[in-house]
Amino acid sequence: MKRKLIVLLTLVMALACPKAMQAEEVTVTILTDNYTDVSKSLVETMQRNLGRLLSEINMSDSQNKAQLNLANSNIPESVMSPDAKGMLNALWDNIHFSCDDAEVVDKLWPMKDGFMLRQIPLIINPQGETFGHGNYQEATVDFDKNGRIVDFQFVFDSQLSESMERCGSAVDMERKLKILKFCDKFATYYNTKRLDKLQEIFSDDALIITGNVTQVYHPEAGAMKPKVTYKKQTKTEYLSNLRRTFARNKYIDVKFSEIGEGGGCGPVTVSANNPNMYGVRLHQAWRSSNYSDDGYVFLLWEFRGEDDYILHVRTWQPEYLDRAKTQPLPQEEVFSLSDFDL
């Protein structure tokens, strides 16, 4: 009789709280095909740490917790660094999410100071409204040399790292992966409304250019035709406008995807004049509570140290010249490194 009562209570709880009953523990399998010089015990540590964190995220989401339980008693600093906890909490403050896969399988990317995973599957669970780009999202996770999680953020395009695998030396590859990581951070700062981080990431003399479609009369055609005109902003002007945008919108969802230059090694190119300067040419989809657009973004990054970087140029151009989206911006007009090479 007692056993039947337990089963009945379990069924009642499942019907009353179906989401809570679905909160599964997550196991992680890391593939090391591209990097064999890593110990089995270190891989197991990374798998265990990430599995523990994803399971906690699932539990917090199932219980609709306002905050993740990342206290040392639950997720100790041996599992996740304080900085990584801060970034994850900032993401959680903006939007809740969970890992829908009971087993996550991902490829390990070696870095000079640790390791990276770039395809952790997540499901966005918006609180009472539809989120910008739909509910599927991937995350990137960084580990230090001891297997501790030192960064967790949304990734803008998981295929970019694979598309560059054939390009250049191991050193070139690591730098390009870091540039993609910088872009992940850049998008995440918009999504979490971290104006303080954007303040840090732009150089004081940053060049910020925004394109806008206007109608211009063409005498030879005897008609008005669309033309992109450009406005320059200083760092102070841009961040001031962005502050107002953040205040007006409940959520912001920025996604980058790849557009390359001539079919080379993805969107990342290195300056011919300065090996520490990298250009990134991307498609940006911006979705927010009261505004959306699609266009092209060009970013000019400078390495000042292996993990110290700054953004000198950010441009935005519309993808189309008309509201009906029948006249795309010609690709030869999309900004690239050759327009700003220093």
Side-chain angles (χ1 to χ4, degrees), residues 201-258:
I201 214 169
F202 280 101
S203 66
D204 289 340
D205 59 351
L207 174 62
I208 297 159
I209 300 174
T210 304
N212 183 50
V213 178
T214 58
Q215 296 293 321
V216 177
Y217 183 74
H218 286 249
E220 68 278 8
M224 302 291 285
K225 288 189 175 183
K227 178 183 178 181
V228 180
T229 58
Y230 294 97
K231 176 184 176 182
K232 294 181 181 180
Q233 297 179 72
T234 65
K235 173 182 176 178
T236 300
E237 290 169 338
Y238 177 70
L239 293 180
S240 178
N241 291 331
L242 199 57
R243 184 188 302 276
R244 290 192 288 271
T245 298
F246 286 170
R248 287 196 303 265
N249 288 275
K250 182 177 180 180
Y251 76 83
I252 290 175
D253 184 18
V254 173
K255 272 191 168 52
F256 293 140
S257 55
E258 174 181 1

Side-chain angles (χ1 to χ4, degrees), residues 213 215 226-227 318-329:
V213 178
Q215 296 293 321
K227 178 183 178 181
E319 183 177 3
Y320 292 95
L321 301 177
D322 62 328
R323 292 184 178 180
K325 298 184 177 181
T326 60
Q327 300 180 57
L329 181 71

Side-chain angles (χ1 to χ4, degrees), residues 125-169:
N125 298 314
Q127 313 297 299
E129 64 176 282
T130 301
F131 195 57
H133 286 94
N135 286 12
Y136 183 74
Q137 174 70 57
E138 292 184 349
T140 176
V141 177
D142 284 4
F143 301 88
D144 64 17
K145 292 183 177 181
N146 298 315
R148 180 175 71 153
I149 298 169
V150 293
D151 203 0
F152 185 107
Q153 58 193 15
F154 292 163
V155 62
F156 71 83
D157 193 330
S158 62
Q159 302 305 314
L160 292 183
S161 50
E162 283 83 348
S163 74
M164 295 196 304
E165 198 167 7
R166 65 187 182 278
C167 305
S169 68

Side-chain angles (χ1 to χ4, degrees), residues 20 50 63 150 156 160 180 193 200 265 284 306 330:
L50 182 55
Q63 296 176 5
V150 293
F156 71 83
L160 292 183
L180 296 182
K193 303 180 182 179
E200 293 175 7
C265 299
Q284 175 185 282
E306 284 308 308

